[in-house]
Amino acid sequence: MSKKNLYSLLAVLLVAATVLSACGPKATPAPTSTQVEIFSWWVGGGEAAGLAAMQKVFEAKYPSIKFVNAAVAGGSGTNARAVLATRLSAGDPPDSWQAHAGQEIIGTYVAAHQVAPLDDFFKSTGFGNVLPKTLLPLISQDGHPYSVPVNIHRSNVMWYNPKVLQEAGVTAVPTTWDEFFAACEKIKAAGKTCLALGPQWTAMHLLENVMIGTLGADGWSKLWQPGADWTSADVTKALDNYAKALSYTNSDHASLTDWQPATKLVTDGDAAFNIMGDWADGYLENQPPDGLGLKAHTDFDWAPTPGTKGVFVFLSDSFVLPANAKHPDATNAWLTVAASKEGQEAFNPVKGSICARTDCDPKLFNEYLQSAMKDWSTDTVVGSLTHGVVANDAWKAKIDTALGLFLADPTKVADFQAALAAACKSDGACK
Ligand code: GAL
């Protein structure tokens, strides 16, 4: 090739490279911020370890950004979300915070203009293409995505101690609430607590599961949509079942510090059952100090909560970009890790959840989590109340107030139902 031809070939290649780079995904400039403050409620057994695993991936990828862990203790975010609300109203948001897919994001943070849309992030990373099609609408408003989901959790899991069941003569794991109550009679007669419960948010968690197990997936979903009827006889039946379930719980539940002590009552052999999300799996199976290091099927076992076989009560943790973010480049770096296969594969097997991404390697997950993956793809999926999917904060707060009164006197089913119906009218779907 002559020198002249070589030069023209080089010139053509240079132009082609420039054009190609302009067409490809926009290269994000390297972040210059020196720290990122990540706010969550992942402090306790199992939860902190999951976050630490993702932090490790972040630190390896962005060594110049200091990871500041601003987690506030308290399962389901009860304390953390109060602290967050104060910070948001003072105009002092963390660089990113944990937020549940569904109404917690759309009906709360988006409605209050506290978070920014992530269209550019989704476009440049292609993240939307690896998310379940059902999840995208729950983090989007008017077609704009507002958060990066890191996982899928399941709320309707009944953890149990097979030895306690066996010793009490309970030969079959209950699949309906009536069977559950019959089992409780035997467990009570054997001198054990039937159903381990913790502080008030775990009572709401139990409430959603009893209601779904009584009303069915469809009946539950309708309660969150226009035309909802909270005064029906079916709802009365569900609340009667709930009152009965409460009668089999440990009397000191309100003073338990969080969900872990309630779950531990089961594995210590003091109680038979605990209805808790599958973050409990991280706590039960992780080796100490991150968990109890227990053996599935021997030290504990699991089944869908009564009446919910074939139903997956879902929630998803995600992270957001604040409106008027202080360090958008650092937030972007965190969201990049939270969205990545590497980040999600590090986080979820430890946290006790499955990836929000559809392309994680199942072999990295234990038997329980592999079963959750299967159920997630085949079951009827409904949303959790306690963990932000079906109701925004205003509605949920009204339900929580009604629940607090009911827990103080669980004979008052009619008052409870009336308060729930009023909450739907004032702040919910019955408006
Ligand atoms: C949920 C959250 C889970 C887990 C749980 C218990 O609200 O989505 O990730 O942290 O609370 O704390």
Side-chain angles (χ1 to χ4, degrees), residues 189-214:
K192 304 261 160 121
T193 297
C194 184
L195 180 56
L197 189 66
Q200 183 161 327
W201 77 263
T202 71
M204 187 185 281
H205 189 106
L206 176 64
L207 172 67
E208 72 184 32
N209 277 293
V210 179
M211 290 187 77
I212 297 164
T214 312

Short mmCIF file of all heavy atoms in Angstrom, two decimals, residues 189-214:
data_model
loop_
_atom_site.label_atom_id
_atom_site.label_comp_id
_atom_site.label_asym_id
_atom_site.label_seq_id
_atom_site.Cartn_x
_atom_site.Cartn_y
_atom_site.Cartn_z
N ALA A 189 -50.91 -26.76 73.75
CA ALA A 189 -51.03 -27.85 74.73
C ALA A 189 -49.66 -28.43 75.08
O ALA A 189 -49.43 -28.91 76.19
CB ALA A 189 -51.94 -28.95 74.19
N ALA A 190 -48.72 -28.33 74.12
CA ALA A 190 -47.36 -28.82 74.37
C ALA A 190 -46.51 -27.77 75.10
O ALA A 190 -45.32 -27.97 75.32
CB ALA A 190 -46.69 -29.22 73.05
N GLY A 191 -47.13 -26.64 75.46
CA GLY A 191 -46.45 -25.62 76.26
C GLY A 191 -45.59 -24.66 75.47
O GLY A 191 -44.72 -23.99 76.04
N LYS A 192 -45.82 -24.55 74.17
CA LYS A 192 -45.01 -23.64 73.36
C LYS A 192 -45.87 -22.53 72.76
O LYS A 192 -47.10 -22.68 72.64
CB LYS A 192 -44.37 -24.42 72.20
CG LYS A 192 -43.52 -25.60 72.65
CD LYS A 192 -42.07 -25.27 72.66
CE LYS A 192 -41.27 -26.21 73.53
NZ LYS A 192 -40.23 -26.91 72.81
N THR A 193 -45.20 -21.46 72.37
CA THR A 193 -45.90 -20.40 71.63
C THR A 193 -46.15 -20.91 70.21
O THR A 193 -45.26 -21.50 69.61
CB THR A 193 -45.01 -19.13 71.55
OG1 THR A 193 -44.80 -18.66 72.88
CG2 THR A 193 -45.64 -18.05 70.71
N CYS A 194 -47.34 -20.68 69.69
CA CYS A 194 -47.58 -21.15 68.32
C CYS A 194 -46.97 -20.20 67.29
O CYS A 194 -46.24 -20.62 66.41
CB CYS A 194 -49.08 -21.29 68.07
SG CYS A 194 -49.38 -21.99 66.43
N LEU A 195 -47.26 -18.91 67.44
CA LEU A 195 -46.86 -17.96 66.39
C LEU A 195 -46.00 -16.85 66.99
O LEU A 195 -46.50 -16.02 67.77
CB LEU A 195 -48.13 -17.38 65.75
CG LEU A 195 -47.98 -16.37 64.63
CD1 LEU A 195 -47.15 -16.91 63.48
CD2 LEU A 195 -49.36 -15.95 64.11
N ALA A 196 -44.75 -16.82 66.63
CA ALA A 196 -43.84 -15.79 67.15
C ALA A 196 -44.07 -14.48 66.42
O ALA A 196 -44.13 -14.44 65.19
CB ALA A 196 -42.39 -16.23 66.97
N LEU A 197 -44.21 -13.41 67.22
CA LEU A 197 -44.47 -12.08 66.64
C LEU A 197 -43.51 -11.08 67.26
O LEU A 197 -43.07 -11.26 68.40
CB LEU A 197 -45.93 -11.69 66.92
CG LEU A 197 -46.47 -10.45 66.22
CD1 LEU A 197 -46.55 -10.65 64.71
CD2 LEU A 197 -47.86 -10.07 66.75
N GLY A 198 -43.21 -10.02 66.54
CA GLY A 198 -42.34 -8.95 67.03
C GLY A 198 -43.10 -7.64 67.14
O GLY A 198 -44.30 -7.64 67.39
N PRO A 199 -42.41 -6.50 66.95
CA PRO A 199 -43.04 -5.18 67.10
C PRO A 199 -44.12 -4.91 66.04
O PRO A 199 -44.33 -5.72 65.14
CB PRO A 199 -41.87 -4.21 66.95
CG PRO A 199 -40.79 -4.98 66.26
CD PRO A 199 -40.99 -6.41 66.62
N GLN A 200 -44.74 -3.72 66.15
CA GLN A 200 -45.97 -3.47 65.38
C GLN A 200 -45.84 -3.69 63.87
O GLN A 200 -46.77 -4.19 63.25
CB GLN A 200 -46.51 -2.06 65.66
CG GLN A 200 -47.84 -1.82 64.93
CD GLN A 200 -48.66 -0.70 65.49
OE1 GLN A 200 -48.64 -0.46 66.68
NE2 GLN A 200 -49.39 -0.01 64.63
N TRP A 201 -44.71 -3.35 63.28
CA TRP A 201 -44.66 -3.53 61.81
C TRP A 201 -44.78 -5.01 61.45
O TRP A 201 -45.30 -5.35 60.40
CB TRP A 201 -43.42 -2.88 61.19
CG TRP A 201 -42.12 -3.63 61.36
CD1 TRP A 201 -41.18 -3.40 62.31
CD2 TRP A 201 -41.62 -4.72 60.56
NE1 TRP A 201 -40.13 -4.29 62.15
CE2 TRP A 201 -40.37 -5.09 61.09
CE3 TRP A 201 -42.11 -5.40 59.45
CZ2 TRP A 201 -39.61 -6.13 60.55
CZ3 TRP A 201 -41.34 -6.44 58.91
CH2 TRP A 201 -40.10 -6.79 59.46
N THR A 202 -44.31 -5.90 62.35
CA THR A 202 -44.42 -7.33 62.04
C THR A 202 -45.88 -7.79 62.19
O THR A 202 -46.29 -8.77 61.59
CB THR A 202 -43.48 -8.21 62.90
OG1 THR A 202 -43.94 -8.24 64.25
CG2 THR A 202 -42.05 -7.73 62.86
N ALA A 203 -46.64 -7.03 63.02
CA ALA A 203 -48.07 -7.33 63.13
C ALA A 203 -48.80 -6.91 61.86
O ALA A 203 -49.77 -7.55 61.45
CB ALA A 203 -48.66 -6.63 64.35
N MET A 204 -48.32 -5.85 61.21
CA MET A 204 -48.91 -5.48 59.92
C MET A 204 -48.53 -6.53 58.86
O MET A 204 -49.34 -6.90 58.02
CB MET A 204 -48.46 -4.08 59.47
CG MET A 204 -49.19 -3.62 58.23
SD MET A 204 -48.62 -2.07 57.55
CE MET A 204 -49.41 -0.89 58.62
N HIS A 205 -47.30 -6.99 58.96
CA HIS A 205 -46.83 -8.04 58.04
C HIS A 205 -47.71 -9.29 58.18
O HIS A 205 -48.09 -9.93 57.19
CB HIS A 205 -45.36 -8.35 58.36
CG HIS A 205 -44.69 -9.24 57.39
ND1 HIS A 205 -43.77 -8.80 56.47
CD2 HIS A 205 -44.83 -10.57 57.15
CE1 HIS A 205 -43.36 -9.82 55.73
NE2 HIS A 205 -43.99 -10.90 56.13
N LEU A 206 -48.04 -9.62 59.43
CA LEU A 206 -48.92 -10.77 59.67
C LEU A 206 -50.32 -10.48 59.13
O LEU A 206 -50.94 -11.33 58.49
CB LEU A 206 -48.98 -11.06 61.18
CG LEU A 206 -49.93 -12.16 61.62
CD1 LEU A 206 -49.52 -13.52 61.05
CD2 LEU A 206 -50.00 -12.24 63.16
N LEU A 207 -50.79 -9.25 59.37
CA LEU A 207 -52.13 -8.87 58.89
C LEU A 207 -52.25 -9.08 57.38
O LEU A 207 -53.22 -9.68 56.90
CB LEU A 207 -52.42 -7.41 59.25
CG LEU A 207 -53.68 -6.79 58.65
CD1 LEU A 207 -54.94 -7.45 59.22
CD2 LEU A 207 -53.74 -5.27 58.88
N GLU A 208 -51.27 -8.61 56.62
CA GLU A 208 -51.40 -8.75 55.15
C GLU A 208 -51.46 -10.21 54.76
O GLU A 208 -52.20 -10.61 53.88
CB GLU A 208 -50.32 -7.97 54.39
CG GLU A 208 -48.91 -8.52 54.44
CD GLU A 208 -47.90 -7.61 53.73
OE1 GLU A 208 -48.08 -6.38 53.73
OE2 GLU A 208 -46.90 -8.14 53.19
N ASN A 209 -50.67 -11.02 55.47
CA ASN A 209 -50.65 -12.43 55.11
C ASN A 209 -51.94 -13.16 55.48
O ASN A 209 -52.41 -14.01 54.72
CB ASN A 209 -49.42 -13.11 55.71
CG ASN A 209 -48.20 -12.88 54.83
OD1 ASN A 209 -48.15 -13.37 53.71
ND2 ASN A 209 -47.26 -12.07 55.29
N VAL A 210 -52.51 -12.82 56.64
CA VAL A 210 -53.79 -13.45 57.00
C VAL A 210 -54.87 -12.99 56.02
O VAL A 210 -55.70 -13.79 55.57
CB VAL A 210 -54.20 -13.13 58.46
CG1 VAL A 210 -55.54 -13.77 58.78
CG2 VAL A 210 -53.14 -13.58 59.45
N MET A 211 -54.84 -11.72 55.67
CA MET A 211 -55.87 -11.22 54.75
C MET A 211 -55.75 -11.88 53.38
O MET A 211 -56.75 -12.31 52.80
CB MET A 211 -55.78 -9.69 54.62
CG MET A 211 -56.22 -8.98 55.89
SD MET A 211 -56.31 -7.20 55.71
CE MET A 211 -57.84 -7.02 54.80
N ILE A 212 -54.54 -11.98 52.86
CA ILE A 212 -54.37 -12.60 51.53
C ILE A 212 -54.74 -14.08 51.59
O ILE A 212 -55.40 -14.60 50.69
CB ILE A 212 -52.92 -12.40 51.02
CG1 ILE A 212 -52.64 -10.91 50.83
CG2 ILE A 212 -52.70 -13.14 49.68
CD1 ILE A 212 -51.17 -10.54 50.69
N GLY A 213 -54.37 -14.74 52.69
CA GLY A 213 -54.68 -16.16 52.84
C GLY A 213 -56.17 -16.42 53.00
O GLY A 213 -56.65 -17.53 52.78
N THR A 214 -56.93 -15.40 53.41
CA THR A 214 -58.37 -15.55 53.57
C THR A 214 -59.12 -15.06 52.33
O THR A 214 -60.07 -15.70 51.87
CB THR A 214 -58.86 -14.75 54.80
OG1 THR A 214 -58.01 -15.03 55.91
CG2 THR A 214 -60.31 -15.11 55.16
#
